[in-house]
Each structure stands twice: as structure tokens, then as C-alpha cells.
């Protein structure tokens, strides 16, 4: 018996990499899966059916249940169609994994408007559109649901050459934080995944070695994602999980007060703030150190 028997899941961008690994494990745990993928090249250009079909075949060969969908997450009609595919084939939708993504890395001075727009479109707008239709379906069913959105340490921490991607991924995290609050009364959890895995997307960015392929196999990220979809995880919502290989971390929020006085007093002077900052820079390395996980 699987932990997701009877559940229905939709995974976007599931034709390869992390999405494929999530889809296979969801199916292994008993969920019926809609495998969405545009099937384009690694830049998200073009389209095709073979990537999604290939994963559907793998799931079926392993005894699971799956159906393909080939639309783009950037298209409202296609996003509606993904949810409809779940309902038409399996009767409902319980789980949405927003995973589809592309890169257009450039230092900010070289970035074009097109490179900015397409990354925001696929990641942030795509997450919004598919979630919009899934949310409606989950509310109509009235039995809660599970949503995982895919962010990145690029958006949560920062990474050189990815202002477009970082903005989209930070936007996704903000989207999750608000939606998680709105989902509480409906029993719908919403969590962020910030993964690290060797995939088509990252093969140029990571060392080309069997050790990396093993240490950062996408399959190592999926168990956390799938657990978040189980009944056991019903109370876990609004959280950010960094999963890098076999290391699973919770990225938590911390507020560090630098200086403070009674709120009814007048404002600080600029010089007073300068003094507090100077003192912090001297005695508290955290102020000058870049964030890291
Ligand atoms: P990948 O390139 O192997 O998979 C992305 C999939 O999304 C591809 O199969 C692609 O065809 C599909 N896709 C692209 N545009 C689409 C669209 N408009 N509609 C539907 N499908 C579309 O990359 P990977 O690494 O598996 O990435 C999955 C997610 O994880 C992405 O959101 C990525 O940004 C995120 N991520 C990955 C990291 C890594 O280390 N691999 C690090 C941080 C985040």
C-alpha cells in the first residue's frame, strides 16, 4: 500500500529532471499522475510529446497510472486543460507540483527585456496560472489539497547572473507564503521546494562527474516533495525546504534587531543609525557576510 493511494497529482515540467523524478515517486506511492511537459529544448524553445509520453510509459511499465499533457504553463487555457485532464481521467485533483522551468542567465548589464520576460512568465506566471485552476478544483472538491511550488536558493539567497530567475523564484516564495495562509481554512497546504540536482538545466553549471551525478541525482530530492503530499504532512504549510541531494533543510526566517528605542520617541537621526551600523559592522560579522545555506 502506498502513502498516496487514491490521490491524483499534476506535475508540471515532468518530462525530465526533477519533475520526472517527482512524478515517478508519486506514482510509486499510489497516486495517479498527470505528466505535463512542453517538450521543448533545454531553453524551453519548441515543443513535443515524447518527453511527457516517455515518463507516462515509465510509470505504466512500473504498474502505475498516468496520462500526458503537452501544454505550456504560460498559457491559461493549457493550465486549465492540465487540471481538466486530471479530472477527466482520474476524477479529481489532490496534489499540484509546480516544477516547470527554464533559464536565461546573464549578468544584469547584458540582460534583454525578452530574457527577463520569458523567465518571469514561465516560472512566476506559470506557477500562478496552474495553481489558479488547481485551487478552484481543490476548493470545489472541499477535501483539502497539497501544493508544492519550486523556488531556488537563487531567489531565496542570491546567485550571480540570475536577476530574472532570482526575481521569479523569490516571487514564487512570496506567492507561497500568502497562499499558505489562505489555504489553511480549506486544508490546502502550500510549501516551497528549493532543490539542487543535476539535470538538463544544470548540466553546464555543475561538475561533469559520476560522483556529482550520484550525489545530486534528482531522485534524491523527490522523497521530501512526495512526503509533503501525504496525510502525515497535513499541518506542514508555508515552509521553505532546501533539498540538495540527501540533505534536507528548513530555511527559516530570522529577524536580527540592529538597534531599537521606544516607538513613541522621535525618529533616529541618520548619524545615530550610522553609529549603530558602524558598531554592528565592527562587532557583528553577520551584517557584512553574504547570506548562505
Ligand atoms: P529540467 O530542465 O530538467 O526540467 C524542466 C522541465 O520543464 C523540462 O522538462 C522542460 O521541458 C519543462 N518546461 C519548460 N518550460 C515549460 C513550459 N512553459 N510548460 C511546461 N513545461 C515546461 O530542469 P530541472 O533541474 O529538473 O528543474 C525543475 C525545476 O527545479 C525548475 O523550476 C528549476 O528552476 C528548479 N530548480 C532546479 C535546480 C537544480 O539544481 N536542478 C535548482 C533550483 C531550482
Amino acid at each position: 500500500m502506498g502513502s498516496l493511494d487514491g490521490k491524483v497529482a499534476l506535475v508540471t515540467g515532468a518530462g525530465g529532471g526533477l519533475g520526472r523524478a517527482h512524478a515517478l515517486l508519486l506514482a510509486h506511492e499510489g497516486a495517479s499522475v498527470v505528466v505535463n511537459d512542453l517538450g521543448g529544448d533545454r531553453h524551453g524553445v519548441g515543443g513535443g510529446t515524447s518527453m511527457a509520453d516517455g515518463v507516462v510509459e515509465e510509470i505504466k511499465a512500473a504498474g502505475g497510472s498516468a496520462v500526458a499533457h503537452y501544454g505550456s504553463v504560460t498559457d491559461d487555457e493549457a493550465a486549465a486543460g492540465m487540471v481538466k485532464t486530471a479530472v477527466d481521467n482520474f476524477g479529481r485533483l489532490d496534489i499540484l507540483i509546480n516544477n516547470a522551468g527554464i533559464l536565461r542567465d546573464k549578468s544584469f548589464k547584458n540582460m534583454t527585456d525578452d530574457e527577463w520576460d520569458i523567465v518571469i512568465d514561465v516560472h512566476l506566471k506559470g506557477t500562478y496560472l496552474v495553481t489558479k485552476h488547481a485551487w478552484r478544483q481543490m476548493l470545489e472538491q472541499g477535501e483539502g489539497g497539497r501544493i508544492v511550488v519550486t523556488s531556488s536558493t537563487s531567489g531565496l539567497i542570491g546567485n550571480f547572473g540570475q536577476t530574472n530567475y532570482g526575481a521569479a523564484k523569490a516571487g514564487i516564495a512570496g506567492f507561497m507564503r500568502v497562499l499558505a495562509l489562505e489555504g489553511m481554512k480549506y486544508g490546502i497546504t502550500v510549501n516551497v521546494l528549493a532543490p539542487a540536482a543535476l539535470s538538463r538545466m544544470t548540466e553546464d553549471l555543475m561538475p561533469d562527474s559520476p560522483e556529482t551525478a550520484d550525489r545530486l541525482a534528482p531522485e534524491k530530492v523527490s522523497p521530501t516533495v512526495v512526503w509533503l503530499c501525504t496525510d502525515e504532512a497535513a499541518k506542514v504549510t508555508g515552509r521553505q525546504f532546501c533539498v540538495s541531494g540527501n540533505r534536507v533543510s528548513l530555511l527559516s526566517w530570522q529577524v536580527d534587531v540592529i538597534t531599537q528605542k521606544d516607538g513613541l520617541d522621535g525618529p533616529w537621526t541618520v548619524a545615530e543609525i550610522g553609529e549603530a551600523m558602524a558598531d554592528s559592522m565592527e562587532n557583528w560579522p553577520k551584517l557584512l557576510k553574504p547570506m548562505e545555506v
Side-chain angles (χ1 to χ4, degrees):
M1 215 176 103
S3 59
L4 298 177
D5 281 347
K7 305 280 188 198
V8 179
L10 161 60
V11 187
T12 67
L18 286 159
R20 168 182 168 273
H22 302 336
L24 290 172
L25 192 57
L26 286 162
H28 178 78
E29 287 296 323
S32 299
V33 184
V34 177
V35 176
N36 158 263
D37 205 288
L38 184 59
D41 67 16
R42 67 188 293 251
H43 304 293
V45 176
T49 56
S50 61
M51 288 180 74
D53 284 345
V55 176
V56 168
E57 287 316 311
E58 280 186 89
I59 290 173
K60 286 184 175 167
S65 174
V67 62
H69 185 283
Y70 316 113
S72 172
V73 294
T74 59
D75 177 44
D76 190 38
E77 228 175 273
M82 293 173 206
V83 175
K84 187 169 184 306
T85 300
V87 175
D88 287 352
N89 286 273
F90 307 121
R92 53 189 295 114
L93 181 70
D94 304 287
I95 295 163
L96 167 63
I97 314 294
N98 283 293
N99 165 83
I102 55 164
L103 289 179
R104 290 290 187 281
D105 292 359
K106 281 280 173 66
S107 65
F108 187 56
K109 74 179 166 61
N110 295 323
M111 188 170 293
T112 65
D113 289 351
D114 284 348
E115 287 161 345
W116 175 272
D117 287 344
I118 193 170
V119 168
I120 300 290
D121 214 28
V122 171
H123 290 277
L124 188 54
K125 182 93 184 279
T127 294
Y128 157 69
L129 287 176
V130 183
T131 305
K132 177 180 76 172
H133 294 289
W135 193 259
R136 287 177 187 164
Q137 179 62 30
M138 287 173 184
L139 291 192
E140 197 181 308
Q141 290 168 190
E143 293 172 21
R146 297 284 182 275
I147 298 176
V148 176
V149 296
T150 308
S151 182
S152 165
T153 50
S154 180
L156 304 176
I157 311 277
N159 196 24
F160 188 92
Q162 295 192 320
T163 48
N164 51 0
Y165 184 74
K169 292 304 202 184
I172 286 172
F175 173 77
M176 173 282 290
R177 285 196 282 274
V178 174
L179 198 60
L181 295 173
E182 296 189 15
M184 277 175 173
K185 69 175 173 187
Y186 304 114
I188 304 175
T189 69
V190 192
N191 289 286
V192 149
L193 168 71
L198 184 65
S199 69
R200 185 173 78 162
M201 179 182 280
T202 55
E203 63 191 4
D204 292 347
L205 311 171
M206 292 180 176
D208 178 17
S209 71
E211 200 255 332
T212 306
D214 185 18
R215 199 162 44 86
L216 291 180
E219 290 72 22
K220 295 190 170 166
V221 175
S222 301
T224 302
V225 173
V226 172
W227 180 79
L228 285 169
C229 301
T230 64
D231 290 343
E232 277 179 30
K235 294 207 166 98
V236 180
T237 192
R239 304 289 115 191
Q240 303 179 143
F241 296 91
C242 296
V243 185
S244 173
N246 283 331
R247 191 186 65 176
V248 182
S249 328
L250 181 68
L251 190 66
S252 37
W253 292 273
Q254 192 182 327
V255 175
D256 296 302
V257 176
I258 292 174
T259 189
Q260 188 170 324
K261 63 179 175 178
D262 192 320
L264 295 176
D265 289 347
W268 297 108
T269 64
V270 175
E272 284 170 334
I273 290 295
E275 264 172 51
M277 292 293 183
D279 186 53
S280 296
M281 282 190 273
E282 200 170 329
N283 299 312
W284 190 45
K286 199 170 181 182
L287 191 64
L288 297 176
K289 220 172 73 176
M291 286 193 291
E292 56 190 32
V293 275

